[in-house]
């Protein structure tokens, strides 16, 4: 029996539920529950565990056991080999005839080349330029510390996006070690919390985000935009970890505080210590919709989405925009509006073709769409290949 199956059976029996009763209370099929408890399935999707945990009134991680991580797609590790080498191997010693990099030159490359590629989710192109940049940043010494931290933050984010979790941790821990102050450290921790969420380590993500949110909490009436944004972003991580772990009260409290920070800020803002994300009232609204999606409230997701004009949605980061569209697609699928759900997936694919294949969430949504149809269109078959939906 898997750890998850053992924990499910233990808690189910403590609650006085039969397998059939748990199926009825959770909405998870009886056959899946039986297979998990009998060890015929080693793992379950986090969404399945969340439904079971809600019905059993325990945190999701109480049932998770040793959840397996989903690794990178085919060819990803080879594509990023030079970047991983730059992160993990000692810096090369420049020869006497080598042209030595400058802080200004590396900073410009980061701003002009790497950041636009990251923001556009052009990961293949980013993998080609990021390795040399990291090597150059290492050669800068103490003068290049801030630029090196920014590059390591970006490398960590790219590795999380592409599910290279060990390399992501290497980059982020190096960035955290080099951080010059608590706000710069908090920006790195934000991505580290995201890494833990993607690994399914919800307790760790929650504890880390709470610790750093407490550490950087400003006096709102006197706070700078960077302080408000940094604090607000960490609160959103607290909320994300809590709602996924069945801690709905903590999730709501953190979201309420994040909303207060966004109101005080009054606009979307990218803090000085951040490369990768922005914060403001619209970001908080999108994260409220995300929480509603995680909690299985599709009507709330669609209601919140109606209040976000498409043009305004362009003011947030591409990642947040894409995630919101996935939440809307999931809400459409959950209310059996399958054409609208598929249209959202197509929209994301058109704008971020290298981002979508790394989203297990997209596979889950497409699975719901396909399950609700008798036959598939050519476009749906193509999409199944794009998101690597198992046959």
């Amino acid at each position: 029996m898997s750890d998850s199956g053992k924990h499910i059976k233990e808690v189910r029996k403590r609650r006085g539920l039969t397998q059939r009763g748990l199926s009825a209370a959770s909405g998870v099929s009886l056959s899946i529950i039986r297979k998990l408890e009998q060890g015929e399935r080693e793992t379950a999707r986090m969404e399945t565990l969340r439904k079971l945990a809600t019905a059993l009134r325990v945190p999701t991680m109480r049932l998770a056991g040793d959840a397996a991580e989903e690794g990178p797609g085919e060819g990803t590790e080879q594509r990023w080999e030079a970047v991983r080498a730059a992160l993990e191997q000692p810096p090369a010693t420049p020869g006497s005839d080598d042209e030595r990099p400058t802080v200004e030159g590396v900073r410009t490359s980061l701003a002009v080349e790497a950041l636009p590629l990251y923001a556009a989710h052009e990961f293949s192109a980013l993998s080609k330029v990021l390795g040399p940049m990291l090597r150059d940043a290492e050669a800068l010494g103490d003068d290049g510390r801030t630029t090196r931290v920014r590059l390591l933050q970006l490398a960590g984010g790219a590795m999380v996006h592409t599910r290279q979790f060990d390399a992501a941790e290497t980059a982020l821990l190096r960035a955290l070690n080099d951080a010059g102050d608590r706000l710069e450290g908090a920006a790195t921790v934000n991505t580290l919390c995201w890494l833990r969420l993607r690994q399914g380590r919800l307790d760790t993500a929650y504890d880390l985000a709470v610790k750093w949110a407490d550490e950087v909490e400003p006096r709102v009436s006197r706070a700078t935009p960077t302080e408000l944004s940094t604090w607000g972003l960490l609160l959103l991580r607290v909320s994300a970890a809590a709602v996924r772990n069945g801690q709905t009260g903590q999730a709501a409290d953190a979201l309420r505080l994040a909303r207060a920070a966004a109101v005080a800020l009054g606009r979307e803002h990218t803090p000085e210590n951040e490369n990768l994300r922005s914060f403001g009232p619209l970001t908080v609204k999108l994260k409220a919709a995300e929480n509603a999606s995680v909690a299985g409230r599709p009507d709330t997701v669609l209601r919140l989405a109606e209040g976000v004009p498409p043009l305004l949605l362009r003011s947030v980061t591409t990642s947040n925009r894409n995630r919101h569209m996935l939440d809307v697609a999931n809400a459409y699928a959950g209310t059996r509006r399958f054409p609208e759900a598929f249209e959202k997936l197509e929209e994301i694919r058109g704008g971020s073709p290298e981002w979508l294949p790394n989203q297990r969430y997209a596979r889950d949504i497409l699975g719901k769409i396909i399950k609700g149809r008798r036959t598939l269109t050519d476009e749906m078959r193509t999409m199944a290949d794009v998101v690597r939906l198992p046959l």
Side-chain angles (χ1 to χ4, degrees):
M1 181 186 300
S2 69
D3 285 344
S4 290
K6 183 175 77 171
H7 297 328
I8 291 165
K9 185 175 182 178
E10 288 173 351
V11 179
R12 175 179 62 75
K13 291 174 72 175
R14 286 284 299 273
R15 296 293 189 229
L17 286 172
T18 64
Q19 290 179 335
R20 191 175 300 278
L22 177 56
S23 175
S26 65
V28 176
S29 74
L30 179 59
S31 64
I32 289 178
I33 293 171
R34 283 175 174 165
K35 287 177 180 178
L36 284 168
E37 291 195 1
Q38 292 168 6
E40 294 177 27
R41 285 185 60 160
E42 290 295 320
T43 61
R45 294 186 293 115
M46 289 302 294
E47 180 181 353
T48 300
L49 292 177
R50 195 154 48 240
K51 289 178 180 178
L52 292 169
T54 298
L56 293 168
R57 306 191 306 282
V58 294
T60 307
M61 295 310 292
R62 173 69 176 83
L63 306 181
D66 297 324
E69 297 175 2
E70 181 181 350
E74 185 178 355
T76 298
E77 291 183 315
Q78 293 87 342
R79 192 176 304 119
W80 288 85
E81 185 175 355
V83 178
R84 289 199 313 279
L87 289 171
E88 297 165 2
Q89 295 174 6
T93 303
S96 58
D97 296 332
D98 290 341
E99 185 177 359
R100 294 179 180 272
T102 65
V103 173
E104 184 59 32
V106 178
R107 185 186 299 130
T108 300
S109 294
L110 170 63
V112 174
E113 296 181 59
L115 280 172
L117 291 173
Y118 181 94
H121 295 152
E122 295 182 18
F123 297 126
S124 294
L126 180 61
S127 69
K128 296 175 182 177
V129 303
L130 192 53
M133 286 187 198
L134 287 165
R135 291 287 191 192
D136 286 348
E138 285 294 335
L140 296 176
D142 290 342
D143 291 342
R145 184 199 59 76
T146 299
T147 300
R148 185 165 54 251
V149 168
R150 298 290 185 273
L151 269 169
L152 288 168
Q153 289 171 343
L154 185 144
M159 292 299 187
V160 177
H161 269 299
T162 54
R163 294 188 172 275
Q164 300 176 84
F165 295 145
D166 289 344
E169 182 150 358
T170 297
L172 295 171
L173 292 181
R174 284 186 55 193
L176 187 59
N177 186 60
D178 278 354
D181 56 42
R182 62 193 177 94
L183 292 180
E184 195 169 68
T188 301
V189 166
N190 199 304
T191 305
L192 189 56
C193 289
W194 175 38
L195 168 62
R196 299 301 181 228
L197 288 172
R198 284 205 114 180
Q199 291 174 312
R201 297 170 62 181
L202 303 183
D203 290 334
T204 304
Y206 178 82
D207 291 342
L208 186 61
V210 167
K211 174 186 174 183
W212 277 81
D214 289 344
E215 176 70 22
V216 303
E217 180 179 0
R219 181 173 295 183
V220 175
S221 61
R222 299 180 182 177
T224 66
T226 290
E227 289 171 334
L228 285 170
S229 299
T230 301
W231 182 52
L233 285 165
L234 284 167
L235 289 168
L236 292 179
R237 293 295 187 209
V238 173
S239 186
V243 74
R244 285 164 173 77
N245 206 18
Q247 300 165 279
T248 54
Q250 293 92 324
D253 288 344
L255 192 64
R256 175 179 52 79
L257 289 172
R259 188 175 291 112
V263 169
L265 192 59
R267 58 188 171 87
E268 293 295 314
H269 175 74
T270 301
E272 297 167 6
N273 54 310
E274 270 281 5
N275 286 326
L276 313 181
R277 53 188 68 87
S278 62
F279 176 80
L282 182 55
T283 296
V284 172
K285 189 169 187 176
L286 299 188
K287 293 304 178 182
E290 181 178 321
N291 282 9
S293 182
V294 171
R297 301 198 306 270
D299 291 341
T300 301
V301 175
L302 295 176
R303 176 177 55 78
L304 289 170
E306 286 176 359
V308 182
L311 188 60
L312 186 60
L313 197 55
R314 293 287 172 185
S315 66
V316 300
T317 62
T318 307
S319 291
N320 279 340
R321 183 167 64 249
N322 286 346
R323 168 67 203 213
H324 179 65
M325 287 194 287
L326 282 181
D327 287 330
V328 173
N330 189 51
Y332 280 141
T335 53
R336 303 191 63 80
R337 296 166 64 178
F338 298 122
E340 291 97 325
F342 188 75
E343 184 178 334
K344 283 295 175 186
L345 293 181
E346 287 280 43
E347 185 178 351
I348 298 168
R349 181 190 170 202
S352 296
E354 293 190 56
W355 182 86
L356 192 61
N358 290 296
Q359 308 306 312
R360 181 169 182 172
Y361 191 17
R363 295 200 285 282
D364 292 343
I365 294 167
L366 185 61
K368 293 177 184 178
I369 295 170
I370 289 175
K371 189 175 180 180
R373 292 182 58 93
R374 291 184 178 179
T375 59
L376 303 185
T377 64
D378 290 341
E379 291 80 7
M380 288 178 180
R381 294 189 184 94
T382 298
M383 182 65 75
D385 292 337
V386 168
V387 302
R388 303 198 298 271
L389 187 70
L391 294 172

